[in-house]
Amino acid sequence: LQILVTILNKNDNPPVFPQPNITRQIPEDTQVDTVIVAREEVTATDADLDTIYYELTTTVQNTDGYFAIRGVNNPEIYLQRALDYDKFSSTTLLLYARDRPVTSPEPANMATATITITIKQSDTRAPWFLPCTQLYNDTSVCMSSPYSGRVNISEMSTDPLLLEPGPIYAVDPDYTINDRIVYRIVGGNTNKVFSVDADTGNLTMKKIVTSPDSFLLQVMATQVSNVRKYSVATVEIKVITKSNFPPYFEKGVYNGTVFVGLPQRSFVYQAGDPSTPLVITAMDQDFPDV
């Protein structure tokens, strides 16, 4: 008697990853579609010789959509969306391997690989002049206002000029790099009246000014290690006549009269002379003809 025995393959082995834990460090400016983890590093094997189905998820909030796999049967992990270090600097991915499709009613065996990704900040932004205001809570853009100051005509100042809203100062917004900033005047410095300290940004005078014309300087802030990363700020310097005397009022006390029931913005009249509006006048000895 000949007996033929057929052995059926029971699905009793789970998929196995070659490395259950993988770590990667990638620069912030990595190009979209770059391979982060190669296919062979995350391809699971199954002793039952089943087809493996893959799924990738993230455990860190607000990091969905940045990384993906090529397909349900291709676990190669690539960058799907441009990175921003200010939004997140690391994330953890979970790669699932199943020996049945997710939608299959049959029981499936599963394995999990953990991929930890750390993002290294790249030198992507030019210097910011301070103070500045971020637009719409976007940390990648910060707008600064022009600087302004004054000098006296025919007078040489030896101290750094006082500017509004503050001294000339710029920083590298890629703060983990924090490159050193150097300054120089690149425009508007007629007759080379002014100079700027390359390291501190302090603006000083080299010559006296003999005309009342204002100056509109352009000051460049450049990163030492990358001269292509630079910003330019405008500095308006007004030339004024020196003021030696404070203004004063013609009278120490002014008396006026106002009538009940008048609408807003009605005149206040001089006390004792209800037909003449009350006028408060100040004088300044520096400007006797004004």
Side-chain angles (χ1 to χ4, degrees), residues 21 29 48 60 65 76 99 151 198 241 286 288:
N21 293 286
D29 57 354
D48 298 318
V60 180
E76 179 179 87
D99 54 13
V151 297
T241 302
D286 293 309

Side-chain angles (χ1 to χ4, degrees), residues 111-182:
T112 305
T114 302
I115 300 96
T116 302
I117 296 179
T118 303
I119 300 168
K120 182 180 179 182
Q121 190 171 38
S122 300
D123 190 8
T124 59
R125 292 176 291 191
W128 288 350
F129 281 97
L130 301 182
C132 66
T133 303
Q134 293 180 354
L135 299 181
Y136 313 112
N137 296 320
D138 184 354
T139 57
S140 64
V141 180
C142 200
M143 300 295 294
S144 59
S145 301
Y147 296 95
S148 62
R150 299 183 298 179
V151 297
N152 295 323
I153 194 170
S154 302
E155 183 175 306
M156 183 74 174
S157 175
T158 56
D159 297 325
L161 301 183
L162 297 178
L163 303 176
E164 294 292 340
I168 297 173
Y169 182 61
V171 297
D172 181 359
D174 299 312
Y175 51 86
T176 63
I177 299 173
N178 196 26
D179 199 1
R180 187 165 68 91
I181 307 296
V182 293

Side-chain angles (χ1 to χ4, degrees), residues 89-267:
S89 58
S90 65
T91 187
T92 300
L93 307 176
L94 296 179
L95 180 63
Y96 299 103
R98 298 182 177 89
D99 54 13
R100 295 290 186 272
V102 175
T103 56
S104 174
E106 299 179 32
N109 296 308
M110 184 174 68
T112 305
T114 302
I115 300 96
T116 302
I117 296 179
T118 303
I119 300 168
K120 182 180 179 182
Q121 190 171 38
S122 300
D123 190 8
T124 59
R125 292 176 291 191
W128 288 350
F129 281 97
L130 301 182
C132 66
T133 303
Q134 293 180 354
L135 299 181
Y136 313 112
N137 296 320
D138 184 354
T139 57
S140 64
V141 180
C142 200
M143 300 295 294
S144 59
S145 301
Y147 296 95
S148 62
R150 299 183 298 179
V151 297
N152 295 323
I153 194 170
S154 302
E155 183 175 306
M156 183 74 174
S157 175
T158 56
D159 297 325
L161 301 183
L162 297 178
L163 303 176
E164 294 292 340
I168 297 173
Y169 182 61
V171 297
D172 181 359
D174 299 312
Y175 51 86
T176 63
I177 299 173
N178 196 26
D179 199 1
R180 187 165 68 91
I181 307 296
V182 293
Y183 307 87
R184 64 190 179 104
I185 299 175
V186 294
N189 193 15
T190 306
N191 298 324
K192 297 183 178 179
V193 172
F194 301 97
S195 67
V196 65
D197 188 286
D199 295 316
T200 66
N202 285 336
L203 189 66
T204 55
M205 296 183 70
K206 296 173 61 178
K207 301 176 182 179
I208 62 172
V209 183
T210 57
S211 67
D213 298 329
S214 297
F215 292 81
L216 200 62
L217 308 175
Q218 283 80 48
V219 176
M220 176 184 287
T222 309
Q223 293 181 203
V224 170
S225 64
N226 189 349
V227 296
R228 295 185 178 183
K229 290 290 189 294
Y230 67 88
S231 296
V232 177
T234 300
V235 184
E236 182 182 14
I237 304 296
K238 294 182 178 179
V239 181
I240 63 172
T241 302
K242 184 176 181 179
S243 179
N244 295 309
F245 303 96
Y248 63 92
F249 290 102
E250 289 184 313
K251 297 180 182 180
V253 177
Y254 290 84
N255 295 307
T257 299
V258 63
F259 298 100
V260 175
L262 291 177
Q264 293 183 4
R265 305 183 68 84
S266 296
F267 283 120

Side-chain angles (χ1 to χ4, degrees), residues 5 24 40 50 55 58 86 103 143 149 156 178 217 221 255 282:
V5 178
R24 288 289 185 273
E40 56 269 19
D50 291 319
E55 179 187 6
T58 179
D86 291 324
T103 56
M143 300 295 294
M156 183 74 174
N178 196 26
L217 308 175
N255 295 307

Side-chain angles (χ1 to χ4, degrees), residues 36 62-68 78-84 87-88 91 93 119:
I36 306 302
N62 298 324
T63 62
D64 279 332
Y66 286 90
F67 301 93
Y78 69 99
L79 183 65
Q80 183 174 242
R81 180 179 171 188
L83 298 170
D84 186 342
K87 292 182 178 178
F88 68 97
T91 187
L93 307 176
I119 300 168

